[in-house]
Amino acid sequence: MSLYRLAAVTVLGFASGLPLALTGQAMQAWLTVEGLDLATIGFLSLVGLPYTFKFLWAPLMDRFELPLLGHRRGWLVLTQLALAAALVALAVTSPRDSIRAFALLAVAIAFLSASQDVVVDAYRTELLPSDERGLGASLGVMGYRLAMILSGGIALIWTDPLQGGGWQWPEVYRLMALLMTISAVVSALALPRLAATPRAATVARHDVVGFAAVLAAVALGAWLTDRYGHAVAAALLGAWLEGSALPPPLRQRWIDLAALLLGIAFTLPLAAWAARRARFETLLAGLASYFRQPGAAAFLVFIVLYKLGDAFAGALMTPFLLKSMAYTLAEVGVVNKVIGLWLTIGGALLGGVLMLRLGLWRALMAFGVLQMASNLGFWWLATLGPEGKGTLPGTVIPAFDWGFVKLAQATPVDGGLLAVVAFENLSGGMGTAAFVAFMMSLCNQRFTATQYALLSAFASVGRVWVGPLAGVLAETIGWPSFFVLSTLLAMPALAMLWWLRASVRALDVDPRAAARDD
């Protein structure tokens, strides 16, 4: 077991996790403070769309290498420097005065972050042998969550005007840009070099033209959706919504959501057709290689479902805690973002260790059951409401000043919030460690970037796509029913995992070791 490899995976996990909260929960906190409504914040979760489409450009990262830095590392440095520049641009854009420009910059950050993830995932998969993947996945999750503690937790404390440092959100984003620049330097100078792997035997011109064709198809689909999608959705749903008891703003949100789904249903087949016609060979070969393995399509469905309930419950967690439960910025920052994410790290490490004894299938099943049960904790909080705080004994975080973060005054921590967050983050960390190891085991080394990007794109479907639906549903049915629904959404994945148990158990065998035995 190589400590150097495991340390590299941890560092890359940190670099990968840093931008996520900046277009997710930290951005939600910024928008909440700026006074945007809940449904709008929910729709702005769509800035994460690039995470679900990154397999479309991942083949270019499999096919082409940037000069000087070696296999995978050139792409790492490029994406990290571009992320730093985009974060600086977002820092000087007001979400209240320039919401469209703000959203476009956030999409650009998500695109660059997704591109960095493509390279990080491929690098980790190629770097780690099979016997290090469980622990390597745990350490990658640890680095990832440490970054989220900083960008999604400590940042909330920094921006609390009473308890923290009184920072403004643009200052936070400029600091994160500096950290991404440092990550680029580390990637260039300190990461282990990968042995070159055989590239796909494709014509470079076909891949470039194919990507351009796919991009044009997506742009056409987006334009047609923007031009006609709303009218079509209104024609389909208008009569039903007019007869409902929903207020007009919520009716409009349902029409917006329907228009979005119609656009996706049109754009994805159009992009697939364009890829075939333009002979986007690395994408097509990578997908064909993946789908040749037994159970490939079923694995994709399972990947979508496994984190769906978890993603649904967490889609609007920050507005729920700040607005509906009336917790303070500092309390949410300390409990949900700092203590909670440390517990996620503990859960990931515990999950990696337990996987050595449980094996992949039993770990996925056990940790999936715990993830599902954790959603009921938020249902319990929602039923109590703000007036129910103090039901469980709490604690007080004393004032401190560590230089980089401080609490001006001792901060009471609600016991119910602490208990619910502890259980949710421990179980979520364990589930994530097993899930990452599972996806690594499905990849062919010749198409690592393409195939892992496809798998992780499917994994992010829940996190990205439930945002608009979550915002509308939370306002329509209320938070308690919303969290019950999120619990029910976790059950299909567990049923499917039982059905796939033989196929998943077969993934515990290292193909490279099996080849040597033969």
Side-chain angles (χ1 to χ4, degrees):
M1 186 171 291
S2 168
L3 295 180
Y4 188 24
R5 287 196 296 263
L6 295 175
V9 166
T10 307
V11 170
L12 286 178
F14 183 89
S16 182
L18 197 68
L20 182 63
L22 300 177
T23 55
Q25 293 186 338
M27 190 180 78
Q28 288 181 2
W30 187 358
L31 298 173
T32 300
V33 170
E34 291 286 337
L36 276 74
D37 63 89
L38 183 61
T40 299
I41 295 173
F43 267 83
L44 282 173
S45 68
L46 289 175
V47 301
L49 278 176
Y51 288 101
T52 66
F53 292 112
K54 59 187 176 182
F55 64 92
L56 294 177
W57 64 89
L60 299 182
M61 296 175 165
D62 266 334
R63 178 62 179 80
F64 299 104
E65 295 288 358
L66 299 184
L68 302 178
L69 294 174
H71 189 50
R72 303 293 183 197
R73 297 198 306 170
W75 284 113
L76 271 175
V77 173
L78 177 64
T79 54
Q80 288 165 350
L81 290 177
L83 270 167
L87 288 169
V88 170
L90 191 69
V92 299
T93 306
S94 168
R96 182 183 297 171
D97 300 330
S98 307
I99 188 62
R100 189 176 183 86
F102 185 90
L104 290 174
L105 280 169
V107 170
I109 291 170
F111 169 79
L112 293 167
S113 177
S115 302
Q116 179 192 217
D117 288 353
V118 167
V119 192
V120 168
D121 294 335
Y123 180 93
R124 181 183 60 233
T125 302
E126 294 175 17
L127 181 69
L128 297 177
S130 178
D131 59 347
E132 292 181 10
R133 284 180 182 166
L135 186 55
S138 297
L139 291 172
V141 172
M142 183 185 78
Y144 193 89
R145 297 295 180 170
L146 280 172
M148 291 185 69
I149 287 174
L150 183 64
S151 62
I154 290 176
L156 265 68
I157 301 174
W158 284 337
T159 55
D160 190 304
L162 299 177
Q163 293 280 56
W167 286 35
Q168 299 299 310
W169 279 106
E171 295 176 276
V172 172
Y173 278 69
R174 283 193 291 269
L175 175 61
M176 300 306 159
L178 175 61
L179 292 178
M180 289 309 307
T181 304
I182 294 171
S183 297
V185 174
V186 172
S187 295
L189 302 179
L191 292 183
R193 286 186 176 270
L194 292 175
T197 56
R199 295 187 196 175
T202 60
V203 178
R205 181 174 59 84
H206 290 171
D207 284 334
V208 173
V209 172
F211 175 68
V214 168
L215 195 62
V218 171
L220 176 61
W223 180 80
L224 290 172
T225 301
D226 185 60
R227 185 75 179 268
Y228 302 109
H230 189 274
V232 174
L236 293 173
L237 295 182
W240 174 72
L241 289 172
E242 286 295 330
S244 71
L246 293 176
L250 277 182
R251 295 178 196 170
Q252 186 60 48
R253 291 302 184 189
W254 278 109
I255 291 174
D256 292 342
L257 180 60
L260 174 68
L261 295 177
L262 288 170
I264 293 165
F266 172 77
T267 302
L268 282 180
L270 181 64
W273 176 83
R276 288 193 298 271
R277 293 287 296 176
R279 299 171 65 187
F280 194 172
E281 293 175 349
T282 303
L283 173 62
L284 298 174
L287 295 180
S289 171
Y290 171 77
F291 282 104
R292 276 196 294 270
Q293 64 182 311
F299 284 143
L300 287 181
V301 176
F302 170 72
I303 285 170
V304 172
L305 295 177
Y306 189 71
K307 283 285 187 177
L308 186 60
D310 205 35
F312 205 84
L316 294 171
M317 188 57 62
T318 300
F320 166 66
L321 296 176
L322 291 177
K323 296 180 73 173
S324 297
M325 293 300 298
Y327 292 116
T328 66
L329 273 170
E331 191 170 9
V332 172
V334 168
V335 178
N336 192 44
K337 307 300 183 184
V338 178
I339 296 175
L341 288 175
W342 274 112
L343 289 168
T344 301
I345 291 168
L349 294 174
L350 178 60
V353 172
L354 289 175
M355 282 182 66
L356 297 174
R357 297 184 61 86
L358 293 175
L360 186 58
W361 182 82
R362 287 196 295 172
L364 286 167
M365 178 61 77
F367 304 160
V369 170
L370 292 176
Q371 281 181 169
M372 179 182 68
S374 70
N375 289 348
L376 293 175
F378 293 105
W379 164 80
W380 175 70
L381 274 184
T383 57
L384 291 178
E387 64 278 0
K389 291 188 290 188
T391 302
L392 295 181
T395 187
V396 176
I397 304 294
F400 61 83
D401 187 347
W402 296 341
F404 69 95
V405 63
K406 71 175 184 178
L407 279 178
Q409 303 172 14
T411 300
V413 172
D414 179 59
L417 175 65
L418 187 59
V420 169
V421 166
F423 183 36
E424 192 271 336
N425 282 274
L426 277 170
S427 61
M430 295 165 73
T432 299
F435 195 47
V436 170
F438 167 70
M439 290 193 294
M440 283 195 289
S441 70
L442 294 174
C443 292
N444 182 314
Q445 293 271 320
R446 289 182 61 207
F447 303 101
T448 313
T450 301
Q451 291 184 356
Y452 199 101
L454 172 70
L455 300 175
S456 58
F458 271 73
S460 66
V461 163
R463 177 172 55 81
V464 174
W465 290 109
V466 302
L469 180 58
V472 174
L473 274 178
E475 290 193 346
T476 303
I477 65 177
W479 286 111
S481 298
F482 173 81
F483 288 117
V484 170
L485 179 61
S486 73
T487 304
L488 296 176
L489 286 174
M491 292 181 177
L494 300 179
M496 193 165 190
L497 181 59
W498 179 264
W499 177 59
L500 291 170
R501 60 190 181 279
S503 300
V504 175
R505 282 171 174 157
L507 297 174
D508 272 329
V509 178
D510 185 355
R512 289 173 291 187
R516 289 193 298 268
D517 293 341
D518 292 341

